[in-house]
Amino acid sequence: MRAREWVTEGTALSRRALVDLDGPSLLPGWTRRHVAAHLSLNAEALGNLVHWARTGDERPMYSSPGQRNADIEAGALRPPDDLRAWFDESASKLSAAMDELTAEQWQTPVRTAQGRQVPATEIVWLRSREVMIHAVDLGAGITFADLPTDFLEALSRDIRTKRDDAPEVRGPLPDTTAYLAGRPYTGVHTLDGAPAQPLPPWL
């Protein structure tokens, strides 16, 4: 499935962006260390859903939103080399676990952190979003223009189905997608030609 390729591409982009982890990220209140910790914890959390799909043993992504946030804060205190190694290990384990799922297991219903019931196939899309968008959020020079066009198209459709505060806009695809995701953008206008007003971060 194409989403698996997006996971591979996004993982490589994020790994490339894991530099100068003491610098600020593009996300308010988060350093690059926070983003790195979040990406590793997300891989582990999605690994819980893969386990659920493979065994039938219900295993939620996170024990609670509060614990998730506390784990990110604690993870952000790790030394840079540890954060990079954690990212590599967690991404590798998730990929290996996904490789083990059968066609039937991929159809197992699981629940996202937001409580949505989805087939296990959605796990791949969830991970591709994380590694692609946060590769940009790391603020190391990667932009939405560096992401695959078909991913940007899929992401734009996904965001529009999930947020009702986004007006119709026009502009280059990377910029309109960044706008919809609540990230920095340029050259995006509403259909009447007015400059698009920023949206809060999504994801």
Side-chain angles (χ1 to χ4, degrees), residues 15-181:
R15 186 61 177 83
R16 197 175 86 200
L18 291 178
V19 296
D20 186 21
L21 291 180
D22 290 321
S25 78
L26 301 185
L27 291 176
W30 270 16
T31 66
R32 292 175 183 168
R33 291 192 191 209
H34 286 90
V35 179
H38 166 61
L39 282 168
S40 298
L41 288 164
N42 173 261
E44 294 174 355
L46 292 175
N48 288 341
L49 298 189
V50 174
H51 171 86
W52 182 347
R54 183 173 57 83
T55 67
D57 174 27
E58 184 172 330
R59 185 178 287 183
M61 289 182 65
Y62 304 100
S63 59
S64 71
Q67 187 61 53
R68 168 189 175 275
N69 293 337
D71 288 345
I72 291 172
E73 291 296 332
L77 299 177
R78 293 192 183 193
D81 286 345
D82 284 1
L83 283 167
R84 294 185 188 97
W86 185 18
F87 175 86
D88 292 340
E89 181 181 9
S90 61
S92 178
K93 284 184 176 180
L94 177 61
S95 180
M98 290 193 294
D99 285 341
E100 293 180 359
L101 291 186
T102 65
E104 181 179 5
Q105 289 167 343
W106 275 116
Q107 301 307 314
T108 303
V110 297
R111 278 195 310 277
T112 69
Q114 292 73 38
R116 292 189 301 119
Q117 182 171 289
V118 297
T121 51
E122 187 82 358
I123 296 169
V124 187
W125 170 241
L126 296 177
R127 183 58 176 173
S128 71
R129 289 187 333 195
E130 294 286 338
V131 289
M132 288 286 193
I133 295 175
H134 291 319
V136 177
D137 290 334
L138 282 162
I142 295 168
T143 71
F144 276 79
D146 297 309
L147 308 184
T149 297
D150 54 353
F151 170 79
L152 294 175
E153 292 169 343
L155 179 62
S156 293
R157 290 192 298 269
D158 187 36
I159 295 174
R160 284 202 171 279
T161 64
K162 291 182 172 67
R163 68 183 313 168
D164 54 13
D165 58 349
E168 292 292 332
V169 294
R170 59 187 176 188
L173 178 62
D175 290 314
T176 58
T177 308
Y179 162 77
L180 290 171

